[in-house]
Amino acid sequence: MAIEVFNRYESKYLLTDEQYERFYRDLLKYMELDAYNKKHEFYSISNLYFDTPQDSLIRASLSKPKYKEKLRLRAYGVPEENAKVYLEIKKKVFGLVNKRRTALMLDEAYEFVRTGQAPELADYMNKQVVDEIEYFLRLYNLEPKVYLAYERKALFDKNSRDLRITFDTNIRSRRYDLKLEQGDYGEPLVEDGRWLMEVKAEKTVPFWLSQLLSEHGLYRVGFSKYGNEFKRLVRTTNLNYQGERILVPGTDFDPDMKPNQTIIERESVVYA
C-alpha cells in the first residue's frame, strides 16, 4: 500500500563543504548509504508547498507554536504528467515530527488540492491519509505558493533503521511556474558551498553520534526551507495582509514588527 508514516525528532545543521567532507567521512564508520545513493551520488527532490492566500500556515509556523502543520506535494526528480507523486501532511507537536503521505497521480493531486474533493480511491492510495488530507483542505483555502528543490544524499545507521541522516545541497526555489513538471530550476536559497544536514531519529541519538557532532564542532540550527524562503520574500517585497489579525509573540521574522512580535491573521484556524 502506498503509504509512509514517520514519527521522529529532527535536528538540523548547516555545514560548509569542508565540514561536510570531514563529517561524512567519519559517518561511514557507523552508517551506510541508502539503496538509491549506493548507485547514484544524489537524488533530486522537488516539492510544491501549499498555503492560504494570506500565507497563514507559514506565518503561524514562524511564530514557533507548540503545534504546526503544512501540506506539500513531493516528487523525485521532475515528474512526467502521468507520474506518481506524494501528497504529504507534515505536523510538528512539541518537537516530534509526524509525516503522513499517500501516493497519487500528478493530475489527481493537483485536482484534489484545487477542489478539496478526494479522488476515487485506487490501490496505490491510502484511504486514511486521503481522508485526513480532505479534512485538512476543508480547514484551509489552499493554493500553490512556492516550489523548492534540492539534491539529497541519505544514510542509515548500519545497526538500526531508526536513525537517518540526510545531506541537502543546491537548495533552490521559485514562486512562478508552480507545477512540478515545469522543471527543477529556481533561485538559490542558501549560498554555494553550504549543506543542510538533518538528523532524524525516532528516539534519542546514539552516543557515538553525539560525540561525533561535538568533535566536529557542529551545533543545531533552526532552519526551515519554506520558512527561510518566506523570510526572504518578506525582506524583498511589500506584503500587505488584509482581514482580522492578532498579535502572536514568539518570533522576529517580520522586520516591520516590534521585537518578539509578529502578525497572524484570523482565518479558519488561529494559532496563539
Side-chain angles (χ1 to χ4, degrees):
M1 185 173 289
I3 177 175
E4 293 184 60
V5 178
F6 305 92
N7 288 286
R8 61 200 182 192
Y9 293 94
E10 298 181 353
S11 302
K12 300 180 182 181
Y13 305 79
L14 280 174
L15 282 64
T16 63
D17 280 338
E18 182 181 358
Q19 288 174 315
Y20 160 73
E21 293 290 347
R22 289 190 285 108
F23 190 72
Y24 175 75
R25 190 163 52 245
D26 284 350
L27 272 183
L28 293 179
K29 301 172 187 175
Y30 307 93
M31 307 191 75
E32 61 183 2
L33 291 165
D34 75 5
Y36 187 85
N37 283 136
K38 287 179 179 178
K39 299 179 180 179
H40 308 272
E41 185 177 6
F42 299 102
Y43 58 93
S44 180
I45 297 177
S46 54
N47 304 277
L48 189 60
Y49 285 82
F50 300 93
D51 212 327
T52 72
Q54 301 285 66
D55 299 305
S56 299
L57 296 179
I58 189 57
R59 296 171 73 202
S61 177
L62 287 169
S63 72
K64 302 188 184 303
K66 295 182 174 74
Y67 173 84
K68 56 186 176 181
E69 57 191 354
K70 68 180 78 170
L71 183 73
R72 70 186 177 198
L73 184 61
R74 169 167 289 188
Y76 295 91
V78 179
E80 301 292 333
E81 290 188 3
N82 61 346
K84 188 178 291 185
V85 293
Y86 297 92
L87 193 57
E88 303 179 343
I89 293 181
K90 188 174 182 180
K91 303 178 182 181
K92 190 172 184 180
V93 186
F94 292 102
L96 179 64
V97 174
N98 172 269
K99 185 171 76 173
R100 303 177 65 79
R101 72 182 191 176
T102 184
L104 295 167
M105 305 309 291
L106 185 60
D107 58 345
E108 290 175 329
Y110 287 147
E111 191 68 5
F112 190 6
V113 178
R114 187 185 71 82
T115 65
Q117 300 297 313
E120 183 177 348
L121 285 175
D123 57 4
Y124 51 84
M125 301 178 197
N126 180 273
K127 184 179 186 304
Q128 181 178 345
V129 176
V130 169
D131 288 345
E132 289 178 18
I133 293 173
E134 188 173 31
Y135 176 75
F136 190 91
L137 293 171
R138 288 202 297 269
L139 292 179
Y140 303 101
N141 173 30
L142 298 182
E143 60 188 30
K145 281 289 186 171
V146 63
Y147 172 92
L148 277 161
Y150 39 91
E151 269 63 64
R152 169 166 289 182
K153 182 178 290 188
L155 303 95
F156 286 98
D157 190 327
K158 291 179 180 180
N159 299 313
S160 171
R161 286 308 199 204
D162 290 346
L163 175 65
R164 185 168 185 254
I165 294 181
T166 60
F167 296 93
D168 296 339
T169 190
N170 189 23
I171 305 171
R172 52 207 182 271
S173 66
R174 65 176 187 258
R175 283 186 172 259
Y176 52 90
D177 296 343
L178 294 179
K179 296 277 189 177
L180 293 181
E181 68 273 24
Q182 290 285 95
D184 64 358
Y185 50 89
E187 291 74 45
L189 188 58
V190 295
E191 59 203 79
D192 289 341
R194 300 300 294 271
W195 298 74
L196 177 63
M197 180 178 76
E198 299 186 31
V199 176
K200 307 172 184 185
E202 293 185 13
K203 301 175 183 178
T204 58
V205 299
F207 175 74
W208 64 260
L209 180 55
S210 297
Q211 191 173 38
L212 205 59
L213 290 166
S214 178
E215 290 173 358
H216 285 262
L218 301 179
Y219 302 97
R220 294 174 57 179
V221 297
F223 187 97
S224 159
K225 298 183 183 77
Y226 184 19
N228 277 268
E229 190 280 338
F230 185 73
K231 290 178 187 178
R232 182 176 66 182
L233 179 71
V234 169
R235 290 193 299 267
T236 58
T237 60
N238 183 23
L239 295 179
N240 182 22
Y241 294 105
Q242 303 296 322
E244 184 181 2
R245 303 193 290 182
I246 59 173
L247 288 178
V248 179
T251 182
D252 58 357
F253 85 94
D254 188 337
D256 295 325
M257 292 301 298
K258 297 178 182 179
N260 300 319
Q261 289 185 322
T262 186
I263 288 181
I264 304 294
E265 75 278 15
R266 187 185 301 274
E267 293 191 343
S268 300
V269 176
V270 174
Y271 296 82

